[in-house]
Amino acid sequence: MELKLQLKADTPRLELFGPSDKYLRKLRDDLGVRIVSRDSEVLVIGKETSAAAAVDILERMENRLLDRGELTESDVNEIVVQKKNLVEPLESEPIIVYSHKGVIEPYTQGQLRYIRALKKNDLTFCSGPAGTGKTYLAVAVAVSMLKRNQIRKIVLARPAVEAGEKLGFLPGDMQAKVNPYLRPLFDSLEDMMDFSQMRKFMEMDIIEVIPLAFMRGRTLNEAVVICDEAQNTSSTQMLMFLTRLGRGSKMIITGDTTQVDLQKGQKCGMTDAIETLKGIKGIASVQLDDADIVRHKLVQNIVLAYEKRKSVRP
């Protein structure tokens, strides 16, 4: 099949096609199509579904370029993954952050459901395997709300539960001991804003990254409060966390309920809360799965391999 795409008059073709047509070569290799450029017209030749997918991706690339004034290789990879996972661009509800990226969008249909649940509800649970963007998207929504002055504060908390290692044997004082547990939260923040801005917000107490135990006794108003790795909370800890929610605030609880590091026989607080609070208006629960893994492509294969081995064990 042969399809034609008419580029807009103000579309810079060099930026759209990439250095030495790098982005076009990627589409040719990924989709098995031929792409020929003739002035402002792009001709795509290949199987019907592949040619149609290539045209749709090119249109999204063009819109991204015209909207933001640039098109990076990361943008192109993101758009290709979105198309493969049947996700439409969220032009009407972008997650606007401080970083050079400007806007963060979902890669998969599951992530799209997650973002919409976060925006609609004051309390959202999200469970799923590693690499599905549970924490990253929660932080993105929080940063976006801060940028829009919809909240005054972001609080990121994690239970300091050992995954096969003992906290007491780590070097340094208590702050040094808990920092490794909080590092993934800092990593997500650093992708949303530059380091100096993040440090300024933390010095002004606008952003807090703390162990879950430090939440006790507080009421958090006009804030987004995120509990990460919540599968490692007990029922008592989860109740303590949930009751910190103040007026004008939003709470997000993320974790992988298949990777619990609690002592044997201790009930997972996240699973208990999802079951207990089911059906209450304003509370949502989103389950992401292997298809939503957006890290290196090997991560999805690793998760699937471990799940397969687990299913065949006696």
Side-chain angles (χ1 to χ4, degrees), residues 48-298:
E48 182 176 355
T49 54
S50 299
V55 168
D56 184 58
I57 290 169
L58 282 166
E59 287 179 336
R60 296 192 193 192
M61 289 166 54
E62 182 181 30
N63 290 333
R64 180 76 61 92
L65 174 58
L66 293 176
D67 288 344
R68 302 187 189 178
E70 66 172 354
L71 184 71
T72 66
E73 185 173 1
S74 176
D75 289 331
V76 175
N77 290 334
E78 177 184 318
I79 292 167
V80 170
V81 172
Q82 285 178 337
K83 180 61 182 177
K84 287 181 179 178
N85 288 283
L86 304 178
V87 177
E88 295 301 320
L90 293 182
E91 295 177 359
S92 60
E93 47 180 328
I95 305 176
I96 301 171
V97 294
Y98 291 90
S99 76
H100 66 280
K101 291 182 177 180
V103 174
I104 290 174
E105 294 174 325
Y107 283 108
T108 71
Q109 197 66 42
Q111 288 188 346
L112 177 58
R113 290 198 313 273
Y114 180 33
I115 290 172
R116 287 177 174 168
L118 290 175
K119 291 185 176 183
K120 183 179 179 181
N121 298 278
D122 287 337
L123 174 57
T124 303
F125 294 90
C126 183
S127 180
T132 51
K134 304 181 298 293
T135 305
Y136 187 82
L137 291 175
V139 173
V141 168
V143 169
S144 180
M145 291 183 70
L146 183 66
K147 184 176 176 66
R148 294 171 183 264
N149 296 315
Q150 294 173 327
I151 55 168
R152 294 186 297 108
K153 189 178 184 69
I154 297 173
V155 180
L156 308 173
R158 252 188 166 210
V161 174
E162 299 93 336
E165 299 176 5
K166 294 298 181 183
L167 186 64
F169 287 104
L170 292 174
D173 57 16
M174 180 52 67
Q175 189 62 44
K177 289 176 188 291
V178 298
N179 272 345
Y181 291 89
L182 305 178
R183 186 67 252 174
L185 298 173
F186 285 110
D187 290 343
S188 294
L189 274 174
E190 287 174 2
D191 210 34
M192 313 288 172
M193 59 183 71
D194 62 47
F195 179 77
S196 60
Q197 187 175 37
M198 183 179 74
R199 185 172 60 182
K200 178 182 176 183
F201 280 160
M202 294 183 74
E203 288 172 353
M204 296 172 65
D205 213 28
I206 293 172
I207 294 177
E208 281 187 79
V209 184
I210 57 175
L212 181 63
F214 290 18
M215 297 283 291
R216 191 173 298 278
R218 302 179 65 183
T219 300
L220 296 161
N221 299 317
E222 299 178 65
V224 171
V225 191
I226 299 172
C227 180
D228 187 37
E229 295 291 323
Q231 79 275 5
N232 288 327
T233 60
S234 66
S235 296
T236 302
Q237 287 175 318
M238 180 55 67
L239 178 59
M240 178 275 291
F241 179 78
L242 291 171
T243 52
R244 302 308 96 201
L245 186 63
R247 66 179 185 278
S249 290
K250 188 182 289 287
M251 190 167 274
I252 308 168
I253 296 157
T254 68
D256 180 359
T257 53
T258 68
Q259 299 290 330
V260 177
D261 297 312
L262 297 172
Q263 293 181 359
K264 190 174 182 179
Q266 192 172 13
K267 189 167 184 180
C268 169
M270 181 176 183
T271 302
D272 184 50
I274 292 172
E275 293 172 356
T276 303
L277 304 177
K278 187 185 299 182
I280 297 178
K281 188 176 180 180
I283 300 178
S285 179
V286 179
Q287 177 69 50
L288 301 178
D289 57 30
D290 304 336
D292 299 303
I293 294 174
V294 294
R295 287 184 187 163
H296 192 288
K297 61 184 179 181
L298 282 179

